[in-house]
PDB file of all heavy atoms in Angstrom:
ATOM      1  N   GLY J   1      68.634 150.657 203.444  1.00 97.00           N
ATOM      2  CA  GLY J   1      68.981 150.459 202.036  1.00 97.00           C
ATOM      3  C   GLY J   1      68.123 149.355 201.455  1.00 97.00           C
ATOM      4  O   GLY J   1      66.998 149.131 201.890  1.00 97.00           O
ATOM      5  N   GLY J   2      68.649 148.630 200.463  1.00 97.00           N
ATOM      6  CA  GLY J   2      67.901 147.527 199.890  1.00 97.00           C
ATOM      7  C   GLY J   2      68.280 147.255 198.454  1.00 97.00           C
ATOM      8  O   GLY J   2      69.174 147.890 197.894  1.00 97.00           O
ATOM      9  N   VAL J   3      67.576 146.298 197.858  1.00 97.00           N
ATOM     10  CA  VAL J   3      67.851 145.849 196.491  1.00 97.00           C
ATOM     11  C   VAL J   3      66.580 145.987 195.669  1.00 97.00           C
ATOM     12  O   VAL J   3      65.498 145.613 196.119  1.00 97.00           O
ATOM     13  CB  VAL J   3      68.316 144.374 196.469  1.00 97.00           C
ATOM     14  CG1 VAL J   3      68.557 143.899 195.040  1.00 97.00           C
ATOM     15  CG2 VAL J   3      69.557 144.183 197.323  1.00 97.00           C
ATOM     16  N   VAL J   4      66.722 146.501 194.439  1.00 97.00           N
ATOM     17  CA  VAL J   4      65.605 146.585 193.500  1.00 97.00           C
ATOM     18  C   VAL J   4      66.035 145.884 192.220  1.00 97.00           C
ATOM     19  O   VAL J   4      67.116 146.125 191.706  1.00 97.00           O
ATOM     20  CB  VAL J   4      65.217 148.040 193.185  1.00 97.00           C
ATOM     21  CG1 VAL J   4      64.042 148.081 192.209  1.00 97.00           C
ATOM     22  CG2 VAL J   4      64.895 148.799 194.461  1.00 97.00           C
ATOM     23  N   GLY J   5      65.154 145.019 191.713  1.00 95.00           N
ATOM     24  CA  GLY J   5      65.454 144.258 190.494  1.00 95.00           C
ATOM     25  C   GLY J   5      65.945 142.868 190.845  1.00 95.00           C
ATOM     26  O   GLY J   5      65.838 142.414 191.970  1.00 95.00           O
ATOM     27  N   GLY J   6      66.469 142.186 189.831  1.00 93.00           N
ATOM     28  CA  GLY J   6      66.958 140.825 190.026  1.00 93.00           C
ATOM     29  C   GLY J   6      66.379 139.910 188.971  1.00 93.00           C
ATOM     30  O   GLY J   6      66.315 140.268 187.794  1.00 93.00           O
ATOM     31  N   ALA J   7      65.915 138.754 189.380  1.00 91.00           N
ATOM     32  CA  ALA J   7      65.419 137.744 188.433  1.00 91.00           C
ATOM     33  C   ALA J   7      64.273 138.269 187.579  1.00 91.00           C
ATOM     34  O   ALA J   7      64.192 137.971 186.394  1.00 91.00           O
ATOM     35  CB  ALA J   7      64.985 136.491 189.181  1.00 91.00           C
ATOM     36  N   ASN J   8      63.385 139.075 188.168  1.00 91.00           N
ATOM     37  CA  ASN J   8      62.240 139.582 187.414  1.00 91.00           C
ATOM     38  C   ASN J   8      62.602 140.703 186.435  1.00 91.00           C
ATOM     39  O   ASN J   8      61.770 141.118 185.639  1.00 91.00           O
ATOM     40  CB  ASN J   8      61.118 140.029 188.352  1.00 91.00           C
ATOM     41  CG  ASN J   8      61.569 141.048 189.360  1.00 91.00           C
ATOM     42  OD1 ASN J   8      62.759 141.216 189.612  1.00 91.00           O
ATOM     43  ND2 ASN J   8      60.632 141.729 189.977  1.00 91.00           N
ATOM     44  N   THR J   9      63.834 141.212 186.488  1.00 92.00           N
ATOM     45  CA  THR J   9      64.305 142.227 185.536  1.00 92.00           C
ATOM     46  C   THR J   9      65.532 141.706 184.780  1.00 92.00           C
ATOM     47  O   THR J   9      66.480 142.452 184.520  1.00 92.00           O
ATOM     48  CB  THR J   9      64.629 143.558 186.232  1.00 92.00           C
ATOM     49  OG1 THR J   9      65.568 143.310 187.285  1.00 92.00           O
ATOM     50  CG2 THR J   9      63.389 144.227 186.781  1.00 92.00           C
ATOM     51  N   PHE J  10      65.508 140.415 184.464  1.00 89.00           N
ATOM     52  CA  PHE J  10      66.594 139.767 183.696  1.00 89.00           C
ATOM     53  C   PHE J  10      67.948 139.933 184.378  1.00 89.00           C
ATOM     54  O   PHE J  10      68.968 140.120 183.725  1.00 89.00           O
ATOM     55  CB  PHE J  10      66.659 140.316 182.268  1.00 89.00           C
ATOM     56  CG  PHE J  10      65.385 140.180 181.503  1.00 89.00           C
ATOM     57  CD1 PHE J  10      64.578 141.278 181.273  1.00 89.00           C
ATOM     58  CD2 PHE J  10      64.989 138.952 181.009  1.00 89.00           C
ATOM     59  CE1 PHE J  10      63.386 141.161 180.570  1.00 89.00           C
ATOM     60  CE2 PHE J  10      63.797 138.816 180.302  1.00 89.00           C
ATOM     61  CZ  PHE J  10      63.002 139.924 180.078  1.00 89.00           C
ATOM     62  N   ASN J  11      67.975 139.902 185.714  1.00 92.00           N
ATOM     63  CA  ASN J  11      69.184 140.023 186.533  1.00 92.00           C
ATOM     64  C   ASN J  11      69.821 141.404 186.507  1.00 92.00           C
ATOM     65  O   ASN J  11      70.980 141.565 186.867  1.00 92.00           O
ATOM     66  CB  ASN J  11      70.209 138.940 186.194  1.00 92.00           C
ATOM     67  CG  ASN J  11      69.682 137.567 186.533  1.00 92.00           C
ATOM     68  OD1 ASN J  11      69.007 137.405 187.554  1.00 92.00           O
ATOM     69  ND2 ASN J  11      69.937 136.600 185.684  1.00 92.00           N
ATOM     70  N   ASN J  12      69.082 142.422 186.084  1.00 93.00           N
ATOM     71  CA  ASN J  12      69.529 143.807 186.207  1.00 93.00           C
ATOM     72  C   ASN J  12      69.002 144.318 187.540  1.00 93.00           C
ATOM     73  O   ASN J  12      67.834 144.100 187.874  1.00 93.00           O
ATOM     74  CB  ASN J  12      68.961 144.650 185.056  1.00 93.00           C
ATOM     75  CG  ASN J  12      69.531 144.220 183.734  1.00 93.00           C
ATOM     76  OD1 ASN J  12      70.644 144.589 183.377  1.00 93.00           O
ATOM     77  ND2 ASN J  12      68.786 143.414 182.995  1.00 93.00           N
ATOM     78  N   LYS J  13      69.881 144.954 188.319  1.00 95.00           N
ATOM     79  CA  LYS J  13      69.446 145.388 189.651  1.00 95.00           C
ATOM     80  C   LYS J  13      70.329 146.508 190.173  1.00 95.00           C
ATOM     81  O   LYS J  13      71.371 146.831 189.602  1.00 95.00           O
ATOM     82  CB  LYS J  13      69.468 144.219 190.627  1.00 95.00           C
ATOM     83  CG  LYS J  13      70.849 143.662 190.918  1.00 95.00           C
ATOM     84  CD  LYS J  13      70.772 142.488 191.884  1.00 95.00           C
ATOM     85  CE  LYS J  13      72.150 141.908 192.135  1.00 95.00           C
ATOM     86  NZ  LYS J  13      72.083 140.797 193.086  1.00 95.00           N
ATOM     87  N   VAL J  14      69.901 147.076 191.294  1.00 96.00           N
ATOM     88  CA  VAL J  14      70.673 148.088 192.001  1.00 96.00           C
ATOM     89  C   VAL J  14      70.607 147.783 193.495  1.00 96.00           C
ATOM     90  O   VAL J  14      69.563 147.392 194.012  1.00 96.00           O
ATOM     91  CB  VAL J  14      70.168 149.518 191.689  1.00 96.00           C
ATOM     92  CG1 VAL J  14      68.719 149.689 192.074  1.00 96.00           C
ATOM     93  CG2 VAL J  14      71.046 150.564 192.335  1.00 96.00           C
ATOM     94  N   VAL J  15      71.754 147.932 194.158  1.00 98.00           N
ATOM     95  CA  VAL J  15      71.867 147.674 195.597  1.00 98.00           C
ATOM     96  C   VAL J  15      72.209 148.993 196.294  1.00 98.00           C
ATOM     97  O   VAL J  15      73.214 149.630 195.969  1.00 98.00           O
ATOM     98  CB  VAL J  15      72.961 146.623 195.889  1.00 98.00           C
ATOM     99  CG1 VAL J  15      73.083 146.398 197.394  1.00 98.00           C
ATOM    100  CG2 VAL J  15      72.673 145.322 195.165  1.00 98.00           C
ATOM    101  N   PHE J  16      71.358 149.377 197.250  1.00 98.00           N
ATOM    102  CA  PHE J  16      71.558 150.588 198.033  1.00 98.00           C
ATOM    103  C   PHE J  16      72.117 150.224 199.400  1.00 98.00           C
ATOM    104  O   PHE J  16      71.480 149.460 200.135  1.00 98.00           O
ATOM    105  CB  PHE J  16      70.220 151.305 198.260  1.00 98.00           C
ATOM    106  CG  PHE J  16      69.715 152.050 197.078  1.00 98.00           C
ATOM    107  CD1 PHE J  16      69.057 151.387 196.064  1.00 98.00           C
ATOM    108  CD2 PHE J  16      69.896 153.415 196.981  1.00 98.00           C
ATOM    109  CE1 PHE J  16      68.581 152.067 194.967  1.00 98.00           C
ATOM    110  CE2 PHE J  16      69.417 154.118 195.893  1.00 98.00           C
ATOM    111  CZ  PHE J  16      68.771 153.436 194.878  1.00 98.00           C
ATOM    112  N   PRO J  17      73.253 150.794 199.797  1.00 98.00           N
ATOM    113  CA  PRO J  17      73.711 150.592 201.173  1.00 98.00           C
ATOM    114  C   PRO J  17      72.907 151.497 202.107  1.00 98.00           C
ATOM    115  O   PRO J  17      72.281 152.474 201.656  1.00 98.00           O
ATOM    116  CB  PRO J  17      75.178 151.028 201.119  1.00 98.00           C
ATOM    117  CG  PRO J  17      75.225 152.048 200.035  1.00 98.00           C
ATOM    118  CD  PRO J  17      74.205 151.597 199.016  1.00 98.00           C
ATOM    119  N   PRO J  18      72.902 151.208 203.404  1.00 98.00           N
ATOM    120  CA  PRO J  18      72.241 152.109 204.350  1.00 98.00           C
ATOM    121  C   PRO J  18      72.814 153.522 204.225  1.00 98.00           C
ATOM    122  O   PRO J  18      74.024 153.698 204.046  1.00 98.00           O
ATOM    123  CB  PRO J  18      72.582 151.504 205.716  1.00 98.00           C
ATOM    124  CG  PRO J  18      72.857 150.056 205.426  1.00 98.00           C
ATOM    125  CD  PRO J  18      73.490 150.044 204.056  1.00 98.00           C
ATOM    126  N   GLY J  19      71.937 154.529 204.273  1.00 97.00           N
ATOM    127  CA  GLY J  19      72.380 155.919 204.217  1.00 97.00           C
ATOM    128  C   GLY J  19      72.599 156.477 202.817  1.00 97.00           C
ATOM    129  O   GLY J  19      72.994 157.629 202.669  1.00 97.00           O
ATOM    130  N   ALA J  20      72.345 155.693 201.782  1.00 97.00           N
ATOM    131  CA  ALA J  20      72.543 156.184 200.415  1.00 97.00           C
ATOM    132  C   ALA J  20      71.505 157.237 200.039  1.00 97.00           C
ATOM    133  O   ALA J  20      71.777 158.132 199.243  1.00 97.00           O
ATOM    134  CB  ALA J  20      72.519 155.034 199.414  1.00 97.00           C
ATOM    135  N   VAL J  21      70.299 157.131 200.618  1.00 96.00           N
ATOM    136  CA  VAL J  21      69.250 158.131 200.380  1.00 96.00           C
ATOM    137  C   VAL J  21      68.907 158.822 201.691  1.00 96.00           C
ATOM    138  O   VAL J  21      69.026 158.227 202.759  1.00 96.00           O
ATOM    139  CB  VAL J  21      67.982 157.495 199.747  1.00 96.00           C
ATOM    140  CG1 VAL J  21      68.261 157.026 198.332  1.00 96.00           C
ATOM    141  CG2 VAL J  21      67.457 156.342 200.585  1.00 96.00           C
ATOM    142  N   ASP J  22      68.499 160.090 201.592  1.00 95.00           N
ATOM    143  CA  ASP J  22      68.151 160.874 202.788  1.00 95.00           C
ATOM    144  C   ASP J  22      66.836 160.449 203.406  1.00 95.00           C
ATOM    145  O   ASP J  22      66.653 160.531 204.613  1.00 95.00           O
ATOM    146  CB  ASP J  22      68.054 162.365 202.438  1.00 95.00           C
ATOM    147  CG  ASP J  22      69.407 162.984 202.164  1.00 95.00           C
ATOM    148  OD1 ASP J  22      70.402 162.539 202.761  1.00 95.00           O
ATOM    149  OD2 ASP J  22      69.461 163.913 201.342  1.00 95.00           O
ATOM    150  N   LYS J  23      65.908 160.025 202.560  1.00 96.00           N
ATOM    151  CA  LYS J  23      64.581 159.641 203.045  1.00 96.00           C
ATOM    152  C   LYS J  23      64.142 158.391 202.292  1.00 96.00           C
ATOM    153  O   LYS J  23      64.682 158.061 201.224  1.00 96.00           O
ATOM    154  CB  LYS J  23      63.574 160.771 202.850  1.00 96.00           C
ATOM    155  CG  LYS J  23      63.407 161.180 201.412  1.00 96.00           C
ATOM    156  CD  LYS J  23      62.455 162.340 201.271  1.00 96.00           C
ATOM    157  CE  LYS J  23      62.326 162.703 199.791  1.00 96.00           C
ATOM    158  NZ  LYS J  23      61.443 163.781 199.548  1.00 96.00           N
ATOM    159  N   ASP J  24      63.171 157.689 202.828  1.00 97.00           N
ATOM    160  CA  ASP J  24      62.650 156.494 202.166  1.00 97.00           C
ATOM    161  C   ASP J  24      62.194 156.883 200.760  1.00 97.00           C
ATOM    162  O   ASP J  24      61.498 157.883 200.572  1.00 97.00           O
ATOM    163  CB  ASP J  24      61.497 155.907 202.959  1.00 97.00           C
ATOM    164  CG  ASP J  24      61.942 155.397 204.325  1.00 97.00           C
ATOM    165  OD1 ASP J  24      63.160 155.412 204.611  1.00 97.00           O
ATOM    166  OD2 ASP J  24      61.071 154.981 205.104  1.00 97.00           O
ATOM    167  N   THR J  25      62.635 156.083 199.759  1.00 96.00           N
ATOM    168  CA  THR J  25      62.429 156.436 198.355  1.00 96.00           C
ATOM    169  C   THR J  25      61.976 155.220 197.576  1.00 96.00           C
ATOM    170  O   THR J  25      62.586 154.147 197.686  1.00 96.00           O
ATOM    171  CB  THR J  25      63.754 156.958 197.751  1.00 96.00           C
ATOM    172  OG1 THR J  25      64.230 158.062 198.536  1.00 96.00           O
ATOM    173  CG2 THR J  25      63.580 157.393 196.314  1.00 96.00           C
ATOM    174  N   TYR J  26      60.912 155.379 196.770  1.00 97.00           N
ATOM    175  CA  TYR J  26      60.463 154.299 195.900  1.00 97.00           C
ATOM    176  C   TYR J  26      61.327 154.310 194.647  1.00 97.00           C
ATOM    177  O   TYR J  26      61.408 155.312 193.935  1.00 97.00           O
ATOM    178  CB  TYR J  26      58.988 154.463 195.542  1.00 97.00           C
ATOM    179  CG  TYR J  26      58.426 153.235 194.857  1.00 97.00           C
ATOM    180  CD1 TYR J  26      58.084 152.113 195.608  1.00 97.00           C
ATOM    181  CD2 TYR J  26      58.269 153.191 193.484  1.00 97.00           C
ATOM    182  CE1 TYR J  26      57.573 150.975 194.997  1.00 97.00           C
ATOM    183  CE2 TYR J  26      57.766 152.059 192.863  1.00 97.00           C
ATOM    184  CZ  TYR J  26      57.425 150.955 193.624  1.00 97.00           C
ATOM    185  OH  TYR J  26      56.933 149.822 193.019  1.00 97.00           O
ATOM    186  N   VAL J  27      61.993 153.190 194.381  1.00 96.00           N
ATOM    187  CA  VAL J  27      62.945 153.069 193.275  1.00 96.00           C
ATOM    188  C   VAL J  27      62.429 152.038 192.284  1.00 96.00           C
ATOM    189  O   VAL J  27      61.911 150.991 192.676  1.00 96.00           O
ATOM    190  CB  VAL J  27      64.339 152.642 193.801  1.00 96.00           C
ATOM    191  CG1 VAL J  27      65.304 152.370 192.670  1.00 96.00           C
ATOM    192  CG2 VAL J  27      64.890 153.709 194.741  1.00 96.00           C
ATOM    193  N   THR J  28      62.593 152.335 190.988  1.00 96.00           N
ATOM    194  CA  THR J  28      62.213 151.377 189.950  1.00 96.00           C
ATOM    195  C   THR J  28      63.401 151.064 189.051  1.00 96.00           C
ATOM    196  O   THR J  28      64.284 151.903 188.841  1.00 96.00           O
ATOM    197  CB  THR J  28      61.053 151.896 189.069  1.00 96.00           C
ATOM    198  OG1 THR J  28      61.456 153.094 188.400  1.00 96.00           O
ATOM    199  CG2 THR J  28      59.811 152.131 189.892  1.00 96.00           C
ATOM    200  N   VAL J  29      63.395 149.842 188.537  1.00 94.00           N
ATOM    201  CA  VAL J  29      64.348 149.382 187.523  1.00 94.00           C
ATOM    202  C   VAL J  29      63.504 148.911 186.349  1.00 94.00           C
ATOM    203  O   VAL J  29      62.684 148.009 186.497  1.00 94.00           O
ATOM    204  CB  VAL J  29      65.212 148.213 188.052  1.00 94.00           C
ATOM    205  CG1 VAL J  29      66.111 147.666 186.958  1.00 94.00           C
ATOM    206  CG2 VAL J  29      66.026 148.650 189.261  1.00 94.00           C
ATOM    207  N   THR J  30      63.694 149.543 185.194  1.00 92.00           N
ATOM    208  CA  THR J  30      62.938 149.186 183.996  1.00 92.00           C
ATOM    209  C   THR J  30      63.891 148.722 182.914  1.00 92.00           C
ATOM    210  O   THR J  30      64.855 149.419 182.582  1.00 92.00           O
ATOM    211  CB  THR J  30      62.118 150.388 183.475  1.00 92.00           C
ATOM    212  OG1 THR J  30      61.218 150.805 184.497  1.00 92.00           O
ATOM    213  CG2 THR J  30      61.336 150.007 182.233  1.00 92.00           C
ATOM    214  N   VAL J  31      63.614 147.537 182.375  1.00 89.00           N
ATOM    215  CA  VAL J  31      64.404 146.981 181.272  1.00 89.00           C
ATOM    216  C   VAL J  31      63.615 147.212 179.991  1.00 89.00           C
ATOM    217  O   VAL J  31      62.477 146.767 179.874  1.00 89.00           O
ATOM    218  CB  VAL J  31      64.655 145.469 181.470  1.00 89.00           C
ATOM    219  CG1 VAL J  31      65.434 144.902 180.291  1.00 89.00           C
ATOM    220  CG2 VAL J  31      65.388 145.224 182.773  1.00 89.00           C
ATOM    221  N   ASN J  32      64.224 147.920 179.061  1.00 83.00           N
ATOM    222  CA  ASN J  32      63.637 148.155 177.742  1.00 83.00           C
ATOM    223  C   ASN J  32      64.463 147.379 176.732  1.00 83.00           C
ATOM    224  O   ASN J  32      65.678 147.565 176.643  1.00 83.00           O
ATOM    225  CB  ASN J  32      63.665 149.647 177.400  1.00 83.00           C
ATOM    226  CG  ASN J  32      62.744 150.433 178.285  1.00 83.00           C
ATOM    227  OD1 ASN J  32      61.552 150.450 178.059  1.00 83.00           O
ATOM    228  ND2 ASN J  32      63.300 151.059 179.311  1.00 83.00           N
ATOM    229  N   TYR J  33      63.796 146.513 175.965  1.00 70.00           N
ATOM    230  CA  TYR J  33      64.511 145.627 175.046  1.00 70.00           C
ATOM    231  C   TYR J  33      63.698 145.453 173.785  1.00 70.00           C
ATOM    232  O   TYR J  33      62.502 145.166 173.856  1.00 70.00           O
ATOM    233  CB  TYR J  33      64.747 144.270 175.724  1.00 70.00           C
ATOM    234  CG  TYR J  33      65.428 143.249 174.876  1.00 70.00           C
ATOM    235  CD1 TYR J  33      66.657 143.513 174.288  1.00 70.00           C
ATOM    236  CD2 TYR J  33      64.863 142.008 174.668  1.00 70.00           C
ATOM    237  CE1 TYR J  33      67.291 142.564 173.509  1.00 70.00           C
ATOM    238  CE2 TYR J  33      65.491 141.051 173.896  1.00 70.00           C
ATOM    239  CZ  TYR J  33      66.711 141.339 173.317  1.00 70.00           C
ATOM    240  OH  TYR J  33      67.338 140.403 172.549  1.00 70.00           O
TER     241      TYR J  33
END
């Protein structure tokens, strides 16, 4: 699993637990303001 986002996205983020995805996946978090 892992975490995407955080301080560099104004504290917006997503946390994946192990097993949430079937295969390794590149994930993005985009803040539009």
